[in-house]
Amino acid sequence: MGLLNVHSTIEQMMPAPKTGMSMPLFIVKGEAEEAIYKEYKTITAFTKDKEMAAANTNPILLSKLAYVWNQEQRHEKFAVLISNDIAKSLEKYREKEFYFLLSGLDDKATQTEIAKFVDGGVNVHMRQAVLRFDDVAGATPFTKYKNVITMIAPKVKELVEGTEENEGGPEYVDVTEHIDAAAVAEIGSRTPGSVTWKFRRLNGVTPQFLDEDEMNAIDDIHAIAYVIKHNAPQT
């Protein structure tokens, strides 16, 4: 089945979107001089937009969007920004309806520019950055910024199909789970003030079994992880 058909099937099966806080904006560092900002109601509309080829052919961003659609709740729309000057473009488009800012490709340079924007005086609408990291060490440098929610989800091992009977044993690959996109959809789309970012279930994210020291390390930097607590998965 083709990628577009997969996305179409996902979109048809998901419940109706909620309004909640304004939509998420996925930001991708581009090479073109002119920035492109667009809003979409479906993944299919995004992937069919030839003008957004710098973003809609990237498997990382497409995976993030799949995580959005895999949640019980999500926003009615999402936006994508492609820019080689992210700070300038965010200021240009700051009157748009987006609220949550996410790095489309999880690269540190883009994450840093997003964090600086929400931390600065031009963030007049008090928007929130939601950034994903593999571990505490990656998230720690971002604790100095205001209005940044750091989320930690280590890569998980996934079996390579067809290698179960390999003579040297099965093969595995590291897979990134996009806790940022999942949380923004499931939690950020709810009515403002009605929920907390804690104690929520996220589809498609593997809960971690953490000891006390590991939990304290995450709590110390005010980050969010998806863990098993009281025998149940929760943020």
Side-chain angles (χ1 to χ4, degrees):
M1 183 181 290
L3 187 61
L4 291 182
N5 291 335
V6 170
H7 287 154
S8 297
T9 302
I10 292 173
E11 290 162 0
Q12 291 166 9
M13 295 176 63
M14 288 298 100
K18 307 293 183 181
T19 52
M21 291 186 178
S22 299
M23 63 186 164
L25 169 65
F26 295 89
I27 300 169
V28 176
K29 185 81 170 181
E31 297 180 358
E33 185 174 341
E34 189 68 25
I36 306 174
Y37 171 95
K38 290 192 177 184
E39 300 174 5
Y40 304 90
K41 289 189 175 182
T42 67
I43 301 175
T44 300
F46 171 58
T47 56
K48 286 185 175 181
D49 190 340
K50 295 181 180 179
E51 192 177 12
M52 302 295 283
N56 64 21
T57 56
N58 191 289
I60 299 176
L61 179 52
L62 292 176
S63 181
K64 284 184 182 288
L65 293 175
Y67 271 80
V68 170
W69 255 258
N70 194 32
Q71 305 311 308
E72 296 299 322
Q73 300 211 144
R74 59 179 171 83
H75 296 85
E76 182 180 8
K77 299 185 295 182
F78 66 93
V80 178
L81 170 66
I82 304 175
S83 173
N84 66 1
D85 189 336
I86 293 172
K88 181 179 179 180
S89 297
L90 286 173
E91 186 167 1
K92 175 181 178 181
Y93 294 110
R94 67 181 183 180
E95 297 304 321
K96 296 292 185 179
E97 295 179 4
F98 63 85
Y99 182 76
F100 297 105
L101 286 73
L102 298 85
S103 172
L105 307 183
D106 280 346
D107 57 296
K108 186 175 181 179
T110 300
Q111 290 176 325
T112 301
E113 290 195 61
I114 292 171
K116 287 181 178 179
F117 172 80
V118 299
D119 183 59
V122 294
N123 184 20
V124 294
H125 299 300
M126 299 301 293
R127 292 183 169 103
Q128 295 279 329
V130 183
L131 306 177
R132 182 212 157 272
F133 302 92
D134 289 339
D135 49 39
V136 169
T140 298
F142 289 82
T143 59
K144 65 183 179 182
Y145 299 108
K146 299 188 300 290
N147 305 313
V148 174
I149 298 172
T150 53
M151 310 205 73
I152 298 174
K155 290 182 173 61
V156 297
K157 297 289 185 183
E158 185 174 281
L159 177 67
V160 177
E161 188 175 353
T163 68
E164 294 88 343
E165 305 299 326
N166 280 7
E167 185 175 341
E171 297 177 17
Y172 295 86
V173 293
D174 289 333
V175 175
T176 297
E177 296 185 331
H178 297 290
I179 186 174
D180 53 340
V184 163
E186 179 62 30
I187 305 170
S189 63
R190 296 175 183 267
T191 303
S194 67
V195 295
T196 172
W197 282 71
K198 290 188 175 182
F199 317 120
R200 306 303 308 184
R201 291 202 174 192
L202 303 176
N203 293 335
V205 180
T206 303
Q208 305 173 59
F209 289 89
L210 302 179
D211 60 32
E212 184 176 357
D213 288 342
E214 291 170 322
M215 285 294 298
N216 287 338
I218 292 172
D219 289 341
D220 285 346
I221 64 168
H222 306 292
I224 297 174
Y226 195 53
V227 302
I228 295 293
K229 197 169 185 180
H230 306 301
N231 297 317
Q234 57 187 276
T235 53

